[in-house]
Amino acid sequence: MTETANLSQIETLEADVSAAIGAAADEAALEDVRVSAIGKKGSVSELMKTLGKMSPEERQVMGPALNGLKSRVTDAIAARKTALEEAALEARLVNERLDVTLPVLPGPTSDGRVHPVSQVIDEITAIFGDMGFAVAEGPDIETDDLNFTALNFPPGHPAREMHDTFFFNEKEDGERLLLRTHTSPVQIRTMRSQEPPIRVIIPGRTYRCDSDQTHTPMFHQVEGLVIDKESHIGHLKWILEEFCKSFFEVPSVKMRFRPSYFPFTEPSMEVDIGCDRSGREVKLGEGDDWMEILGCGMVHPNVLRNCGLDPDVYQGFAWGIGIDRLAMLKYGMPDLRAFFEADVRWLKHYGFRPLDMPSLVGGLSR
């Protein structure tokens, strides 16, 4: 090996490696160049291995030359890596740049909406909670006894038939479960599990075979129940009047109680509220028209007996209101079926902001 040839080989190799380093487009390509040049079996490393076979005179010349080559290649690779890292960072800064002067995107609490049914349930709960009522709940699937028999529905009553009630298949013992047609079974559960005095409201889903503009197979209802030794119709009237004033947010209401029939109350009444229908909207608390809003009455003695209570000692009253219709009436929604169609546009129009919780102090419908 001659001095000129070896030095020429080093110059050629350095030129090739330098060109490869400059051509590396990213850190991965640069790493390939590093391995091929100064890796364990790289071109520069292979030349370094030839030092052991050289004469002392050749090593004096080639040793510094090869070490210098390795040092210059290492420095060039490090410089190129720094340049690539800076270029990558600059590209990220350009591509991921955020204009902080733009308005903040709305979050879930501003985009999300509370369904009107949930809003009305919260409003009703706030009103009756202020009167000292607790909330009671029960299952959607009930027995015939709790849904009908214990509530004084006689055998053969039309409400037991298939055109009104969703029945499940008959069991081996002959019992048929059903989807509750009202939340009244929770009244029975409450009276059988609690000692009077009882003051509860019962919001929940109910099911009946019906579907049109003002009826759906599944709808929401809230019932109220008061059981003690002294409750009477005067208390019932006051509670319903105060509820209507608070819920519809009017200073006064006109109410009339008409005789009616429900198997679980005696006497039974339907309640109308005064309104004005002269314009495009129904205005409550004014005018000479009437609108039916709920049914109520004194709890039937047979119902008390079915719950293990002595009707000669205890008495009380109950009422039931359609939550969906209350929402339609208060917030001007023309079609009940839209409540259950999951249309985001409808919900954005009629829904409520999630942090605007109804309260009697801050206002029910802000």
Side-chain angles (χ1 to χ4, degrees), residues 97-326:
R97 182 171 54 189
L98 177 65
D99 188 350
V100 295
T101 64
L102 291 175
V104 178
L105 295 176
T109 55
S110 58
D111 261 358
R113 291 294 182 270
V114 174
H115 196 283
V117 169
S118 299
Q119 173 74 14
V120 169
I121 290 176
D122 288 342
E123 293 179 16
I124 293 171
T125 302
I127 295 171
F128 285 111
D130 189 63
M131 296 183 188
F133 283 76
V135 176
E137 297 179 323
D140 290 9
I141 299 176
E142 279 290 5
T143 64
D144 183 88
D145 175 67
L146 289 172
N147 197 82
F148 292 126
T149 306
L151 287 163
N152 201 38
F153 281 80
H157 193 280
R160 293 175 179 262
E161 299 301 319
M162 286 296 296
H163 67 271
D164 282 332
T165 306
F166 291 104
F167 284 98
F168 289 88
N169 292 333
E170 189 173 306
K171 293 184 177 181
E172 293 181 358
D173 59 3
E175 182 186 18
R176 285 195 302 174
L177 297 178
L178 52 89
L179 293 175
R180 64 184 183 186
T181 59
H182 43 196
T183 54
S184 302
V186 185
Q187 293 188 34
I188 302 300
R189 292 176 177 272
T190 302
M191 285 187 281
R192 288 179 176 179
S193 62
Q194 297 182 22
E195 291 289 332
I198 296 171
R199 291 177 179 82
V200 295
I201 58 167
I202 309 158
R205 293 183 295 268
T206 54
Y207 308 84
R208 294 180 191 175
C209 299
D210 206 354
S211 181
D212 58 36
Q213 187 174 353
T214 57
H215 298 83
T216 55
M218 187 276 288
F219 57 99
H220 298 83
Q221 186 181 62
V222 60
E223 296 187 10
L225 174 69
V226 172
I227 299 293
D228 56 30
K229 296 180 180 180
E230 300 177 351
S231 295
H232 53 73
I233 288 182
H235 296 148
L236 170 62
K237 288 184 175 181
W238 180 86
I239 287 175
L240 295 179
E241 181 177 350
E242 290 301 308
F243 165 74
C244 289
K245 289 193 297 185
S246 297
F247 180 77
F248 293 111
E249 300 178 81
V250 294
S252 62
V253 292
K254 293 189 303 180
M255 302 182 73
R256 68 181 183 185
F257 292 73
R258 294 180 287 103
S260 185
Y261 168 75
F262 305 112
F264 35 81
T265 53
E266 180 59 39
S268 302
M269 297 163 286
E270 290 181 344
V271 180
D272 300 332
I273 187 171
C275 64
D276 180 6
R277 300 174 185 263
S278 59
R280 297 182 62 183
E281 297 182 357
V282 177
K283 298 179 181 179
L284 301 174
E286 56 185 86
D288 298 323
D289 294 319
W290 296 95
M291 176 180 292
E292 179 187 337
I293 60 167
L294 60 91
C296 63
M298 300 299 293
V299 177
H300 199 289
N302 289 343
V303 175
L304 294 174
R305 292 189 187 96
N306 292 336
C307 295
L309 299 176
D310 186 349
D312 293 328
V313 177
Y314 296 106
Q315 60 187 30
F317 50 82
W319 68 89
I321 314 171
I323 295 176
D324 308 319
R325 292 197 182 182
L326 282 180

